[in-house]
Amino acid sequence: MTTPPAIPLRGSGRAPRPPLRKILLAVLGAAFLTFVIVPWFGSFATDYLWFKEVHFQPVFLTSLLWRTGLFAGVAAFSFAYVYGNLRAATADLSGFPALFVDRGGGVRVDISRFVPRLFLLGSVLIAFVTAVSASVLWMTVLMAFHGATVGAVDSLFGRDIGFYLFTLPALSEILNTLIALTGLSLVGTAIVYGLRGELVLPPRKTSAAPGAARHLGALLAFMFVLLGVRLWVVGASELLYSGTGPLVGASYTDVHVRLPAIRFSAIVSMIAAAAVIYGVIRRQLIWYAFLSTVLYAGFGVLFRVLAPAVVQKFGVAPNELSRERPYIAQHIAATRRAWRLDSVQTRALEGDVQLSMADIKANAPTIDNVRLWERDLLKQTFGQLQEIRTYYDFFSVNDDRYMIDGRYRQIHLSARELNTASLPTRNFINDRLTFTHGMGVTMAPVNQVTPEGLPVLFIKDVPPTSSVSVKVTRPQIYYGQMTNSYVFVGTGQKEFDYPAGETNTYTNYSGRGGVPVGSILRRSLYAWQFDAPDIVLSSYITPGARILYHRNVADRAKTALSFLDFDGDPYLIVTDAGELKWILDAYTSSENYPYSQRVRDGTNYMRNSVKVVIDAYDGTIDAYLADPDDPVVQTYAAIFPGIFKPLSEMAPDVRRHLRYPADLFRLQTEMHATYHMIEPDAFYHREDQWQYPSIAAGAPTTNPFMRHIILRLPGEKAPEYIFMTPFTPRGKDNLAAWMVARMDGDHYGQLVVYKFPKQSLVYGPKQIANRINQDTDISRQLTLWDQKGSQVIRGELLVIPIEESLIYVQPIYLRAEGGTIPELKRVVVAHENRVAMGETLEEGLNLLFGAGTATRQTAAAVLNADASPLLDAGLIAQAQQHYDRAIAAQRSGDWSAYGREIDQLGTILKQLRSRKP
C-alpha cells in the first residue's frame, strides 16, 4: 500500500520569517550606529581638526587616550570583578531552585535559566557606569602621576602639600570605587547563595555552606580591609578640611579626639577582617560577620561621632579660644599662603592730611586720568554714536592704558562686533559667507568731554580713523565676544568689510585661521556636525575654503585649555603694529589646600598662572606662564609638555597691557578684609575686620568702588596703572585702608595695602554721599533738571588717592526726556567735609581748593579795570593769552598745561599789581 503524497500547506514555499529577536537587535544596532557612533565620530573628527588648527593636539590626544584607556581598563576590571564573583556563585546551577513566573490561566514559566543572563546584564551595567565615572577623572589620575612638589608641609602629618593637591584625590576615588564594587559583589553573591539555599539568614536558623562561607567571607574581609585603609589614609587626611572648630582645618577636637578615633577604627576594621576569616575557618561565618559589623559600626558611632561631639560641646566650646589658638594660627597662615595674601605689603599713611592745590598739581597724571565715564553709560553712548549700522554692536567696554602722544593715558576701548542676529536678511549666504567679521574699535579717554557733554573719541568710525598716535591697521574682528557662530572664508562669495556711503566695501580673508573644507568628505562631516545641508550643496564653498568655528574668545580659550578656569572679563588691545588681540586671564585652582578658607564654590587655592592671547584676525592661541612657581601649573605643564610658553616670549607691546585679573583681586580683597589680622586673638574676636564700603544701608554684597586707575602711589615717583579698592571697618562708614594690585613693569602682581591710622577720621563714601545730598546748591540744581523732565544720572562715587589723603569725584549725567544718550553735565568733587560742583573736574577742583578760582577772579578784576596809563598794555595782553590758554586746556582735560598757564598768569598779575599807582 503506497503512501499518498503530502499536500503542501499554503505559503510553505515562502522563506521563513526571521525571529523577532533578530529584528529587534538589528533595529537597536542601527539606532546605536545612527544616534551614538556617527555623532561621536563626527564630533571627534571636527574636534581633532580644530585642535590641530590651533596647535593644541597634545591636549586633545592626551585627553582622548586617557579617557579611552580609563574607560576600557576600569570597565574590564569592574566587569571581571563583579561578574567573576557572581559567576563563581552561579557556576553550578544544579542546586539552584526553580523560579517561576505566573502568566495567568494556570500557566507558570520557569525562568531559572535566565538568572545568569540577568547577572551578566547587571555586571555589564555596573561596569559601564563605573567606567564612565572613571573616565571623567582622567585629569585627577594624571595629576596624581605628575604632581609637583609644593615645598611646604602640613603641620599635622608633615606631608608635602602636593600630596593633598594631587595624590589624595586619586587615592580617595580608587578606594571608593573598590569599596563600591566589593559591596555590590557582596550583595549579589549573598542573594545568589540565598536563592540556592546555601546561605540562610534570620528569622530561620542561620547557616552557610562551606563554599558560600569562603566566598562571602573573603569579600567581607576585603571590604573591612578597604574601609580600614581608607580611614587610615583618606579619613585622617580629610581632617585638614574639617569644619568641627570655628574655622576650616583640623581643630582641637579633631587632633585630640577624632584622629585617634579614626586610627582606632582603622585598627578595628582590620580586626573585623581577621574575625571574619576566623569565622570562616570555624564555620561560623554569619555569627562572626555580624559581630564584626556591629563592632566596627559601634566603635565608629561611639568614638568618631558621639565622643567628638561631647568633647567639642563641653570641653572645647566653653574655652574655645585657648583650645583653638594654635589651630587658628595654622588656618590663618594656610589661607594667606593659598590666596597669596602672605605677599601683601602693608604701608602706613599719616591720616588727617590736608590737600592743597599744590598737591593736586603735583599729581597731574592722576587728575588727568580720573574716570568720568562709566562703562555701562559709555556703552550706551558708543551704541548710539558709533554702531554705524544696525548689524554692528558693542558687547562691552574695557579699561586699559596707552602711551598716547607722549602721555600716559587711561582709556576706554570697545570692539565693534558683527551681530548676525541683526542682519536685515538672514540666510546661509549672508550669515555664513558674506557677513563674517566685525570692524574696528572705538577708543575714548576716560576723562575728556566735548562741549556737548559727550565723550571725546580718539579712534572712531568705519574704517577706524585715529586722531592720536595709536593706529588700527588690521581692524577686522573674526574672533570676539559676540562671534558665536561658524563662518566660511576663502569662498566664491566676497566678504562684506564695511559700508562706504551708498556702497559697500568687500574683502577676502588672508589670515591663517580656519580648517580647510575643500573635500566633499569634510564638507559632509561639517554638514552633519552643524546640521546644515547647505555646506554640501552650496557652490560658493570652493576647494580653498576654510571654516572658522569656536570663534567666541572665551569659548575658544576654554575649549583649548579646558582644565583652566577663566576670568569673566576678556579685553581687547591694540598692538604697536595696529593689530587687535584679546587677552584672557586663566586660573589654576584647587579645593584641596589644607586648612585654607573656601569661597562659595569650594575653591580654596587660586593663582593667575596663565595669560592667553588670541589674535582677533586669525584666531591664534598663545598661552604664557605668568606664575611658573605655581605647583598646579607645573603639573599641567608636565602633563601637556610644550603648550605653555614662558612669559619672556610674549611681545613687549602685548605685555605692556597685562592686567591683574578682576575675579582674583575681588576674592583676594574679600579674604584680606579678614585675614589681614594675623594674630589668633584679634582674628577670633574680629577686632579689626574690614568690609567693602557701602552707600546703601546694610552690609555690601558687591563692591562698586573697585576700579582701575592711573595714579602715583605714596612714596613712588612715577604714575602707574593699578587696580584699587577701599575698605571701611566692619559696621562703620569711615575709611580704614585701601588696597591696590600693581600692573606696570617689574611691579606687576604686587599687592599693597595702605592703612589709615585708627585714631584718625577719614571720611568714607557713605559719609561723602550724605554730604553731597545735603549740599543745597547741588540739590537745587539736580531738582531743577528733574523737574524739567530730564533724567539725572548720578555716576559712581570715585575714590581717588592723592598723596596720603583722598578726594572723591562723582560725575553727574543728564539724559534728555525721550533721549538715549547720557551727557556729562557736572562733576562733584569732595575732600574731607568740603563739597563743590563744577562743569568740569578742573572747575570743581578749583572751587574746592580755591587757588584757581582766586586767580581767575583776580585776573578778571585787573583785566576789566579802567585803563591806566601806568599799566603795561603788553602785560595785559600776555595775561589775557595765558588766561585763554588755561581755559582751553581745562576744557580739553590737559591739566598739566592748565597748571603751567595759571602759574604764568599769576606771575604777570603780580607784575601788574606792583605797577598800579
Side-chain angles (χ1 to χ4, degrees):
M1 184 175 180
T2 60
T3 303
I7 300 175
L9 298 176
R10 183 180 298 177
S12 62
R14 297 179 182 175
R17 289 182 299 177
L20 180 60
R21 185 176 62 179
K22 291 185 177 181
I23 296 176
L24 182 60
L25 289 176
V27 171
L28 291 176
F32 183 76
L33 180 66
T34 302
F35 297 106
V36 178
I37 298 299
V38 172
W40 177 86
F41 177 78
S43 178
F44 162 79
T46 54
D47 285 348
Y48 174 74
L49 291 172
W50 184 85
F51 275 92
K52 182 179 179 182
E53 175 216 342
V54 297
H55 305 294
F56 275 76
Q57 300 103 310
V59 176
F60 178 81
L61 294 176
T62 301
S63 171
L64 176 66
L65 292 175
W66 276 89
R67 285 175 187 268
T68 305
L70 282 174
F71 181 88
V74 172
F77 173 80
S78 301
F79 177 78
Y81 191 85
V82 175
Y83 187 67
N85 280 288
L86 294 174
R87 185 66 176 171
T90 59
D92 181 12
L93 292 178
S94 60
F96 205 84
L99 299 176
F100 295 95
V101 173
D102 190 353
R103 297 185 59 180
V107 178
R108 302 176 69 199
V109 179
D110 184 1
I111 63 169
S112 302
R113 66 181 186 275
F114 295 110
V115 172
R117 298 179 185 178
L118 291 176
F119 285 140
L120 174 63
L121 182 61
S123 300
V124 169
L125 181 61
I126 291 172
F128 177 79
V129 172
T130 307
V132 169
S133 301
S135 66
V136 174
L137 300 173
W138 65 278
M139 182 58 76
T140 302
V141 175
L142 281 174
M143 294 183 78
F145 285 141
H146 298 277
T149 301
V150 175
V153 298
D154 74 278
S155 57
L156 187 58
F157 302 111
R159 300 191 189 107
D160 187 87
I161 301 298
F163 170 81
Y164 303 97
L165 295 178
F166 310 120
T167 307
L168 184 62
L171 287 177
S172 178
E173 294 295 341
I174 292 171
L175 289 171
N176 289 341
T177 300
L178 288 174
I179 290 171
L181 292 176
T182 303
L184 290 171
S185 299
L186 182 61
V187 172
T189 53
I191 292 174
V192 171
Y193 287 121
L195 291 174
R196 295 182 62 176
E198 297 183 21
L199 177 65
V200 180
L201 299 174
R204 293 184 294 171
K205 184 179 179 180
T206 60
S207 65
R214 287 192 297 271
H215 192 177
L216 293 174
L219 286 174
L220 185 57
F222 187 51
M223 171 72 82
F224 279 124
V225 170
L226 290 174
L227 291 173
V229 172
R230 194 190 187 287
L231 280 171
W232 193 274
V233 178
V234 179
S237 299
E238 287 177 344
L239 291 179
L240 302 186
Y241 315 108
S242 170
T244 303
L247 302 165
V248 175
S251 64
Y252 178 91
T253 301
D254 293 321
V255 173
H256 293 86
V257 180
R258 200 180 298 274
L259 179 58
I262 289 174
R263 299 294 200 209
F264 184 64
S265 293
I267 296 173
V268 168
S269 183
M270 297 301 174
I271 294 173
V276 169
I277 296 173
Y278 182 73
V280 172
I281 297 173
R282 292 290 304 271
R283 298 194 175 187
Q284 294 179 330
L285 169 66
I286 297 177
W287 166 248
Y288 280 94
F290 174 76
L291 182 64
S292 299
T293 303
V294 170
L295 180 70
Y296 174 79
F299 273 95
V301 171
L302 179 62
F303 292 104
R304 301 206 318 265
V305 178
L306 296 180
V310 171
V311 172
Q312 180 67 27
K313 184 173 183 178
F314 298 104
V316 176
N319 310 284
E320 190 170 52
L321 179 57
S322 61
R323 298 284 193 183
E324 302 287 5
R325 186 177 284 112
Y327 308 106
I328 293 174
Q330 292 169 8
H331 169 79
I332 295 171
T335 300
R336 287 171 60 85
R337 285 194 304 269
W339 291 99
R340 211 172 68 83
L341 301 179
D342 57 337
S343 64
V344 175
Q345 304 173 30
T346 302
R347 300 177 185 176
L349 300 174
E350 292 183 6
D352 297 327
V353 175
Q354 295 290 331
L355 295 178
S356 65
M357 183 56 72
D359 296 317
I360 300 299
K361 292 179 180 179
N363 288 271
T366 301
I367 302 301
D368 285 346
N369 290 285
V370 171
R371 198 178 86 181
L372 299 180
W373 288 104
E374 294 184 16
R375 297 198 293 186
D376 290 341
L377 294 177
L378 194 62
K379 180 177 177 292
Q380 299 175 26
T381 304
F382 282 175
Q384 293 297 317
L385 301 179
Q386 283 292 301
E387 282 185 359
I388 310 298
R389 292 291 188 271
T390 58
Y391 41 77
Y392 287 132
D393 205 351
F394 293 99
F395 183 82
S396 64
V397 178
N398 288 295
D399 292 292
D400 205 346
R401 72 285 199 193
Y402 286 80
M403 189 63 70
I404 297 178
D405 297 328
R407 297 174 60 195
Y408 197 44
R409 303 293 301 272
Q410 184 175 347
I411 58 90
H412 289 301
L413 185 71
S414 185
R416 185 183 294 104
E417 298 197 50
L418 181 71
N419 187 351
T420 309
S422 299
L423 289 175
T425 303
R426 301 290 305 278
N427 54 50
F428 180 77
I429 293 177
N430 279 348
D431 291 1
R432 310 300 183 191
L433 307 180
T434 304
F435 292 90
T436 57
H437 57 273
M439 173 53 60
V441 299
T442 296
M443 178 187 285
V446 296
N447 68 319
Q448 286 186 239
V449 186
T450 67
E452 296 80 17
L454 299 176
V456 172
L457 300 181
F458 284 169
I459 301 177
K460 59 182 179 178
D461 299 339
V462 291
T465 59
S466 173
S467 60
V468 295
S469 56
V470 178
K471 309 292 182 183
V472 178
T473 60
R474 197 173 67 182
Q476 292 83 3
I477 300 175
Y478 285 85
Y479 300 86
Q481 292 180 279
M482 301 184 68
T483 48
N484 297 314
S485 59
Y486 66 92
V487 296
F488 291 89
V489 295
T491 66
Q493 173 68 25
K494 290 185 177 180
E495 300 174 51
F496 171 80
D497 202 24
Y498 59 87
E502 299 298 325
T503 62
N504 293 326
T505 300
Y506 293 86
T507 187
N508 288 312
Y509 181 73
S510 59
R512 296 174 293 173
V515 176
V517 289
S519 68
I520 188 65
L521 178 61
R522 286 197 179 182
R523 290 170 63 177
S524 301
L525 179 66
Y526 283 103
W528 173 277
Q529 183 68 14
F530 294 117
D531 192 21
D534 288 335
I535 296 177
V536 174
L537 301 176
S538 177
S539 61
Y540 290 104
I541 301 181
T542 59
R546 281 178 285 171
I547 182 172
L548 280 58
Y549 55 110
H550 289 308
R551 295 195 301 138
N552 182 291
V553 290
D555 170 65
R556 192 172 183 83
K558 187 62 179 175
T559 302
L561 300 162
S562 59
F563 47 88
L564 299 177
D565 299 317
F566 285 86
D567 193 83
D569 189 19
Y571 54 101
L572 189 68
I573 68 165
V574 183
T575 67
D576 290 351
E579 299 173 349
L580 303 178
K581 295 182 183 291
W582 294 94
I583 299 179
L584 297 89
D585 289 288
Y587 302 117
T588 56
S589 61
S590 177
E591 300 177 2
N592 302 304
Y593 199 99
Y595 286 98
S596 176
Q597 181 64 35
R598 290 185 171 92
V599 294
R600 286 173 289 275
D601 65 353
T603 301
N604 65 1
Y605 173 92
M606 181 177 284
R607 291 290 186 273
N608 174 217
S609 297
V610 180
K611 301 286 186 179
V612 178
V613 180
I614 299 179
D615 193 290
Y617 186 72
D618 59 28
T620 302
I621 305 175
D622 293 305
Y624 297 93
L625 280 179
D627 186 0
D629 296 328
D630 171 30
V632 180
V633 84
Q634 290 174 2
T635 302
Y636 288 142
I639 296 171
F640 307 108
I643 67 168
F644 296 121
K645 300 179 180 179
L647 193 63
S648 58
E649 293 185 12
M650 180 182 287
D653 57 341
V654 175
R655 190 168 180 176
R656 285 199 300 268
H657 295 281
L658 293 182
R659 299 191 325 200
Y660 199 85
D663 291 345
L664 177 59
F665 188 59
R666 187 174 297 109
L667 292 174
Q668 286 177 316
T669 53
E670 286 179 4
M671 289 285 185
H672 195 72
T674 301
Y675 287 88
H676 70 277
M677 299 177 288
I678 59 176
E679 292 298 326
D681 290 45
F683 185 93
Y684 180 83
H685 294 297
R686 299 295 198 267
E687 295 175 359
D688 190 24
Q689 188 173 9
W690 300 338
Q691 67 180 26
Y692 293 142
S694 176
I695 294 180
T701 56
T702 59
N703 184 5
F705 301 98
M706 183 179 295
R707 58 179 51 86
H708 298 96
I709 186 173
I710 289 179
L711 60 80
R712 182 170 60 83
L713 293 171
E716 302 293 337
K717 296 181 179 180
E720 54 188 286
Y721 188 63
I722 56 100
F723 213 174
M724 176 263 189
T725 186
F727 293 108
T728 63
R730 185 181 61 173
K732 303 293 183 180
D733 295 329
N734 59 289
L735 279 190
W738 47 282
M739 183 174 181
V740 302
R742 305 176 73 176
M743 304 192 199
D744 288 350
D746 295 335
H747 298 302
Y748 178 86
Q750 293 181 3
L751 301 176
V752 187
V753 171
Y754 295 88
K755 296 177 64 174
F756 294 107
K758 293 183 180 181
Q759 66 274 13
S760 65
L761 174 62
V762 179
Y763 287 101
K766 187 174 184 178
Q767 295 165 319
I768 294 296
N770 291 337
R771 290 193 172 274
I772 294 174
N773 294 333
Q774 294 166 4
D775 188 279
T776 55
D777 293 333
I778 296 176
S779 298
R780 186 185 306 112
Q781 180 64 69
L782 300 185
T783 302
L784 180 62
W785 279 334
D786 271 331
Q787 290 175 348
K788 291 183 177 180
S790 299
Q791 179 188 5
V792 175
I793 303 173
R794 302 180 68 162
E796 296 175 351
L797 186 61
L798 309 176
V799 184
I800 313 295
I802 301 290
E803 298 296 339
E804 296 200 2
S805 186
L806 300 166
I807 63 172
Y808 289 85
V809 175
Q810 184 175 45
I812 306 296
Y813 310 92
L814 195 64
R815 181 184 283 131
E817 185 177 6
T820 57
I821 302 178
E823 300 175 0
L824 180 63
K825 288 300 183 183
R826 295 290 187 273
V827 179
V828 179
V829 185
H831 174 60
E832 303 245 324
N833 59 351
R834 293 176 293 147
V835 178
M837 183 172 72
E839 293 189 7
T840 64
L841 173 62
E842 289 72 21
E843 182 178 332
L845 290 169
N846 286 330
L847 292 172
L848 190 66
F849 294 102
T853 302
T855 303
R856 287 201 303 275
Q857 291 174 347
T858 304
V862 172
L863 296 173
N864 293 329
D866 293 335
S868 171
L870 298 179
L871 292 178
D872 191 323
L875 287 178
I876 295 177
Q878 292 179 35
Q880 182 67 56
Q881 291 174 359
H882 288 300
Y883 175 74
D884 292 340
R885 291 172 188 162
I887 296 301
Q890 172 185 316
R891 289 174 177 170
S892 64
D894 190 348
W895 182 247
S896 299
Y898 174 82
R900 290 194 300 271
E901 297 298 334
I902 289 295
D903 288 341
Q904 294 177 12
L905 175 60
T907 302
I908 293 175
L909 293 177
K910 290 180 182 178
Q911 296 179 28
L912 289 172
R913 289 194 194 95
S914 65
R915 298 189 183 189
K916 291 179 65 175

